[in-house]
C-alpha cells in the first residue's frame, strides 16, 4: 500500500486538547463533504510527538478525537497534579533525586496511559504509526514505527510515556528497545513537529514517488507561543534561569523550521492547523479550569474563522 495521506501531530502538553478539537473540526468538514466514517480511515500514516504521540496512539486504537479530548479534560489533574501533591511527591524524592528533581514524578501519567491503552502493542494499531523519542544513553533519536517488526510488540503505553517525558517536567522512561536499555525523553527534543519525519518515511515507503508534491499532509499544531524573552533576560540568564524556558524555545524552534521545510517540499498538498496563543495560555501543564476553557475558546475561534473553514473544505475535498 502506498502512503500518500499523512496526519502529523505536534507536542504541547495540555494544549493537545486544542489539537483534538481541531481534529474534530476536520471530521465535521469531512461529514459536510459527504465523507462519513472515522478520521483514521482518511490517512495512511499518523505521526506524533509528545502529547501528539498520545493523540496518534489514541486514534490508532480506535478512539475518536472527541474521545481523546475528553480524556485530556477528565485526566488532566492525574497527569499534572496540583501544587500540594507535587510538593509531597518532591519531598519523597528529595534524597534520591535532589532538589532539582522533575516537577512531576510521572506516576499519574503512567496510571492514565496504562488505563487507556492496557496491553495493546504498537503493532496492533489500526493505522501505521510513527512516534518520536530520544535516548539519552546512546544520545540518538528513537523513532518508533508500528510497521517495524522490532517495535511491533512494544506496549503502546510505554511508547507514549517515553515520547511525553519532557525534561524538567517528567522523569525519563527506561525501556528495552531492540535489545538495548534506553533512557527515553520527550519526542519534542527530536521533532516537536514530526511532519518531516513522516514525509521522509512516506517517500521511503513509496519508492516510485520521487516528488513529495504527490503527498497530502495535514499537520496539526497545539498553538504557537508568543511570550517574549527580552534582550536583557536573554543576555543575562544563566543555566538556572534558562532551565525551563530553553525547553520551550527548542520545541518552538524545531516546530517552525519543520513547518517551513515541509511547506516548501509538499506545496499545495500541505495543510497546517496552527494559531498564535494568547499570553498565559502557552504553559504545557496549566490544567486549571480557566486555562482549559480559554484553550477551548481559542480552538473554537480558530475553527470558525473563514480562512480555516475554506482550508478545511479544500482538505476534505482531497481526503
Amino acid at each position: 500500500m502506498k502512503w500518500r495521506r499523512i496526519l502529523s501531530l505536534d507536542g504541547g502538553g495540555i494544549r493537545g486538547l486544542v489539537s483534538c478539537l481541531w481534529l474534530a473540526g476536520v471530521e465535521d468538514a469531512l461529514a459536510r463533504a459527504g465523507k462519513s466514517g472515522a478520521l483514521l480511515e482518511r490517512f495512511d500514516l499518523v505521526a506524533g510527538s509528545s502529547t501528539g504521540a498520545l493523540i496518534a496512539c489514541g486514534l490508532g486504537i480506535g478512539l475518536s478525537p472527541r474521545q481523546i479530548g475528553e480524556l485530556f479534560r477528565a485526566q488532566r489533574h492525574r497527569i499534572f497534579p496540583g501544587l500540594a501533591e507535587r510538593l509531597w511527591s518532591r519531598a519523597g524524592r528529595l534524597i534520591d533525586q535532589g532538589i532539582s528533581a522533575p516537577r512531576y514524578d510521572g506516576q499519574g501519567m503512567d496510571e492514565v496511559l496504562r488505563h487507556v491503552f492496557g496491553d495493546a502493542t504498537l503493532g496492533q494499531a489500526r493505522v501505521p504509526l510513527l512516534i518520536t523519542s530520544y535516548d539519552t544513553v546512546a544520545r540518538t533519536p528513537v523513532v518508533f514505527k508500528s510497521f517495524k517488526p522490532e517495535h511491533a510488540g512494544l506496549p503502546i503505553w510505554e511508547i507514549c510515556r517515553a515520547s511525553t517525558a519532557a525534561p524538567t517536567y517528567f522523569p525519563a522512561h527506561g525501556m528495552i528497545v531492540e535489545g538495548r536499555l534506553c533512557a527515553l525523553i520527550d519526542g519534542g527534543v527530536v521533532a516537536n513537529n514530526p511532519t518531516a519525519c513522516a514525509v521522509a518515511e512516506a517517500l521511503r515507503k513509496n519508492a516510485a514517488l520521487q516528488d513529495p508534491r504527490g503527498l497530502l499532509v495535514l499537520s496539526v499544531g497545539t498553538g504557537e507561543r508568543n511570550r517574549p524573552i527580552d534582550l536583557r533576560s536573554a543576555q543575562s540568564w544563566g543555566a538556572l534561569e534558562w532551565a525551563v524556558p530553553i525547553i520551550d524555545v527548542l520545541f518552538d524552534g524545531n516546530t517552525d523550521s519543520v513547518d517551513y521545510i515541509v511547506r516548501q517540499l509538499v506545496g499545495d498538498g500541505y495543510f497546517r492547523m496552527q494559531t498564535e496563543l494568547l499570553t498565559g495560555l502557552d504553559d504545557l501543564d496549566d490544567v486549571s479550569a480557566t486555562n482549559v476553557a480559554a484553550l477551548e475558546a481559542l480552538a473554537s475561534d480558530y475553527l470558525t474563522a473563514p480562512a480555516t473553514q475554506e482550508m478545511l473544505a479544500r482538505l476534505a475535498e482531497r481526503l
Side-chain angles (χ1 to χ4, degrees), residues 23-86:
L23 289 174
V26 174
E27 282 192 325
D28 293 341
L30 287 168
R32 289 193 295 271
K35 299 179 178 181
S36 59
L39 178 70
L40 200 66
E41 298 171 2
R42 299 292 167 180
F43 294 97
D44 306 314
L45 175 65
V46 179
S49 287
S50 195
T51 197
L54 196 159
I55 298 170
C57 290
L59 293 172
I61 65 169
L63 298 178
S64 71
R66 287 181 171 85
Q67 287 174 316
I68 304 171
E70 184 53 39
L71 171 68
F72 276 100
R73 294 186 194 93
Q75 303 296 338
R76 66 186 193 274
H77 293 294
R78 293 180 69 190
I79 297 173
F80 299 110
L83 179 60
E85 191 172 345
R86 291 206 312 270

Side-chain angles (χ1 to χ4, degrees), residues 180-194:
R180 182 170 55 84
L181 177 61
C182 301
L184 298 169
I185 61 173
D186 198 294
V189 174
V190 176
N192 199 54
N193 175 350

Side-chain angles (χ1 to χ4, degrees), residues 10 26 33 55 67 70 128 130 149 154 162 185 197 224 226 236 256 299:
D10 286 13
V26 174
I55 298 170
Q67 287 174 316
E70 184 53 39
L130 183 152
L154 297 174
I185 61 173
C197 297
E224 187 171 15
N226 62 2
S236 63
D256 292 341

Side-chain angles (χ1 to χ4, degrees), residues 88 100 171 254 294:
W88 181 257
S100 62
N254 75 47

